[in-house]
Amino acid sequence: MGIVAGLDSSPAFTRIVVCDMDTGAVIRQGYAPHPIEVPEGGRRPSDVDPQAWLLSLGEAAGGGLLEGVQAIGVSAQQNAVIPLDAQGNTVRPAMTGADKRAQVAAADLLDALGGREAWAQAVGCVPQAAQPVTKLRWLAKNEPENARRTALLLQAHDWLVWQLLGRPVRRTTDRGGASGTGYWSAATGGYRPDLVELALGHQVALPDVLGPAEAAGTTPEGLLISAGTGETMAAAFGLGIGFGDAVVSLGASGSVMAVHPGALADQSGMITSLADATGMHLPVVTTLNAVRALRGTAELLGLPDLESLSELAMKSTPGSHGLVLLPYLEGERTPDLPHTAGTLAGLRRESMKPEHLARASFEGMLCGLADALDVLRGRGVEVRRIFLLGQAAELPAVQAVAPALFGAQVVVPQPADYAALGAARQAAWALGAAQGTLDPRTPPAWQGAAAQVLEPGDDLAVGQAVRQQYTSVREQTHPGAFR
C-alpha cells in the first residue's frame, strides 16, 4: 500500500492529511495554526513572514505523522506573492490576501493596458486588489527600493515546495497557481513578462509551470514532491468535480466556479479564467455579498446566530410575502456595482414581519449567487450538479431554498479538508505517473466526498417565480446591470 500526504497552508493554519494512495482513505491527520499575531478583533495582517508557514508545517507534521509517506502535495492560499532577491532571500514579507492597499494600483494597471477587455484578452482576468500583479504595482509605487531588489517571484505553494526540496536552483509552480497571478494566461499556457514589467518596472525570473501529474522534484531522502497548486484548485480536485459540476462557496462573500474545457475571456471582468489541477479550466465568478447578508439580517433582527435566522426564515413561505432583498451591502462585483448599497423592496403591511425579512435574506443571497451561475451558463458552461460549500450550506433554510433557485441538483458534502485531500490526490498522481502505474493524463479515481443530495423536484416552478420576483426588483433598481 502506497501512502501519500497532502498539506494545505491556508491564511490561518496548516492542515495535513495522510492518505492511502489507491483509495484516498485518510489514515492520519495533523493541524497547527500559523504563529502570526492577530490583533484582538482585528484583521489578519496582509504582510506575513513566510517562515511562519514553515513553522506551522513542522508542528502539524510532528509526532511521526509523515512516517512511511512516499509523496507530498502542497496546497496553499492564493494571491500571496513572495518577492525574492537574486540570492533567493525574501526582499520583504509576503503580501497576502485581498490587500486593500492595492485598490489604487488595480485601477492604475487597468488604465495602463487599455481597460478591462485588454486584460481579459491578455490573461483571462481583470486586475483586482488581491492579485499578485496588482501587488507588484503597489510595491513599485510605495517601496521602490524593494521593487528594484526583487529578482524572482513565487507564490505561497511555490515557496513551500521550494523549501521542502531544499531550495534547488529550479523553481516551479503549476497551471492553477499561475492562472491567478495576472501575468500568466490560461488560454495560451504562457507567461506575460511584459505585464510583470508593466507592474513592477522591470523583468524578473518566474517559476517553471509544471503539468498536473509532473513532480517538482525529490528530496534527498527520496520523498517525491508534486507540483502543488492553489487552495481553490486543490479543493475542487479533492471534491472530485468534473464536467457538468459547479461549486458554490458561501463565505462572507460568495463564489461560483465550474469545470470547463476551455479558457473564457470575459471583457466585463465578471469571469476570472483560472486553470484547474487536472489540465482543464475553472472559470470563477465572485460576489461580494453572501453570508455577510445573513449576518447583517440576524443582527438587525436581534438574533444570536445564523441557526436562529434559519429557523425564523422557515416560518415564512417562498417569495417572503413579496419582500425582496438585493444583498449588495458592500457594493457588488457581480453585477458590477461597486458603489451601490443593498435594497429592501416590496414592503407592505403584511410583509413587515421578522420571518419574512429572515427568508428574504436567504432568498436574496442565493438569488445573487444564481445570477453568478447564470453568467457562466450564458457563456456555454454546463451546470448539471452544484456542490454547496461553507458552514452556511448546513443551514435548513439554505438547503430548502437552494435547489429550486439554482435549478439543479445540489450536493452538500460533509465537512472535510478538501484542499489537503486534493493536494494528497495530486501527490498520488505524480507518484503513480513517476512509477508508471498511473496514466499522467488520468488522475487516480479516489472515492468521492460523502454528501447529502438535494433535488429541486416539484419546487422548481416555485423557485423560478422567486427568481423572477428578485430579477424584476434588480432590473427596476439597477437597469441593465448585466448587459
Side-chain angles (χ1 to χ4, degrees):
M1 179 180 70
I3 300 175
V4 296
L7 71 89
D8 175 40
S9 181
S10 83
F13 53 77
T14 298
R15 288 193 191 277
I16 301 177
V17 294
V18 177
C19 301
D20 177 283
M21 175 181 171
D22 298 318
T23 66
V26 176
I27 301 167
R28 314 185 276 273
Q29 45 196 323
Y31 167 87
H34 296 323
I36 298 170
E37 284 191 27
V38 180
E40 191 168 341
R43 294 173 63 90
R44 191 166 294 280
S46 296
D47 289 345
V48 175
D49 182 349
Q51 292 294 329
W53 308 333
L54 276 185
L55 290 170
S56 71
L57 192 167
E59 185 180 342
L65 185 80
L66 299 179
E67 187 176 338
V69 165
Q70 296 167 270
I72 294 178
V74 177
S75 156
Q77 60 179 300
Q78 286 156 241
N79 297 320
V81 62
I82 303 107
L84 302 175
D85 65 19
Q87 287 72 46
N89 301 312
T90 52
V91 167
R92 70 178 313 284
M95 295 181 281
T96 70
D99 195 335
K100 291 191 173 181
R101 294 176 300 185
Q103 287 175 336
V104 172
D108 286 348
L109 284 177
L110 195 64
D111 294 339
L113 196 64
R116 289 175 173 272
E117 186 169 1
W119 277 98
Q121 292 295 337
V123 287
C125 58
V126 174
Q128 304 289 333
Q131 284 179 302
V133 71
T134 309
K135 290 167 179 167
L136 297 182
R137 181 71 158 200
W138 179 90
L139 188 65
K141 295 285 186 183
N142 295 276
E143 299 178 4
E145 181 54 35
N146 284 337
R148 279 192 292 272
R149 289 177 54 213
T150 298
L152 167 69
L153 298 173
L154 294 178
Q155 294 183 84
H157 83 264
D158 310 338
W159 189 85
L160 285 165
V161 165
W162 187 51
Q163 298 294 326
L164 288 172
L165 289 172
R167 296 165 60 103
V169 172
R170 187 191 189 205
R171 275 81 55 147
T172 61
T173 189
D174 86 306
R175 298 170 65 255
S179 67
T181 59
Y183 45 81
W184 186 88
S185 168
T188 66
Y191 281 116
R192 288 289 303 266
D194 57 314
L195 298 183
V196 176
E197 187 169 0
L198 180 71
L200 191 62
H202 61 92
Q203 297 278 346
V204 296
L206 299 168
D208 294 344
V209 181
L210 300 176
E214 283 188 80
T218 305
T219 67
E221 298 77 30
L223 190 64
L224 183 141
I225 309 294
S226 64
T229 195
E231 271 188 321
T232 297
M233 300 81 191
F237 198 39
L239 280 167
I241 68 169
F243 289 128
D245 290 337
V247 177
V248 174
S249 295
L250 301 176
S253 56
S255 69
V256 178
M257 65 179 177
V259 178
H260 196 60
L264 296 177
D266 174 43
Q267 67 186 57
S268 73
M270 286 191 288
I271 298 175
T272 297
S273 191
L274 300 177
D276 79 346
T278 72
M280 299 299 164
H281 296 266
L282 275 180
V284 179
V285 180
T286 302
T287 68
L288 295 182
N289 301 277
V291 176
R292 64 166 40 98
L294 303 184
R295 294 201 184 283
T297 306
E299 289 171 12
L300 182 65
L301 292 173
L303 299 172
D305 49 41
L306 296 186
E307 288 73 19
S308 302
L309 184 71
S310 173
E311 185 179 346
L312 183 61
M314 295 297 283
K315 296 177 180 176
S316 181
T317 54
S320 308
H321 272 245
L323 210 55
V324 174
L325 176 66
L326 301 183
Y328 304 157
L329 308 185
E330 295 280 332
E332 190 46 84
R333 182 175 169 186
T334 307
D336 185 28
L337 299 167
H339 306 299
T340 194
T343 300
L344 186 61
L347 283 169
R348 298 180 184 276
R349 181 64 190 88
E350 60 271 20
S351 67
M352 296 177 72
K353 293 183 178 179
E355 60 267 30
H356 302 324
L357 178 56
R359 187 171 184 110
S361 70
F362 284 95
E363 291 178 343
M365 175 187 75
L366 293 169
C367 281
L369 288 160
D371 280 349
L373 265 171
D374 284 349
V375 170
L376 293 178
R377 284 171 166 145
R379 293 297 306 278
V381 176
E382 188 175 353
V383 178
R384 296 190 302 269
R385 182 173 65 160
I386 295 166
F387 285 79
L388 199 55
L389 303 184
Q391 286 187 326
E394 302 286 335
L395 296 172
V398 168
Q399 296 189 5
V401 172
L405 289 185
F406 291 159
Q409 182 188 84
V410 170
V411 178
V412 184
Q414 288 183 1
D417 300 323
Y418 290 109
L421 285 167
R425 190 179 178 204
Q426 187 195 62
W429 194 6
L431 181 62
Q435 294 174 339
T437 57
L438 285 176
D439 187 335
R441 297 165 298 181
T442 308
W446 282 11
Q447 187 173 348
Q452 185 177 2
V453 178
L454 310 168
E455 301 284 356
D458 296 336
D459 293 333
L460 191 56
V462 175
Q464 290 174 334
V466 173
R467 284 243 18 227
Q468 184 55 53
Q469 176 179 274
Y470 177 91
T471 302
S472 296
V473 171
R474 173 170 47 70
E475 281 299 304
Q476 289 166 12
T477 312
H478 306 288
F482 276 103
R483 288 191 199 125

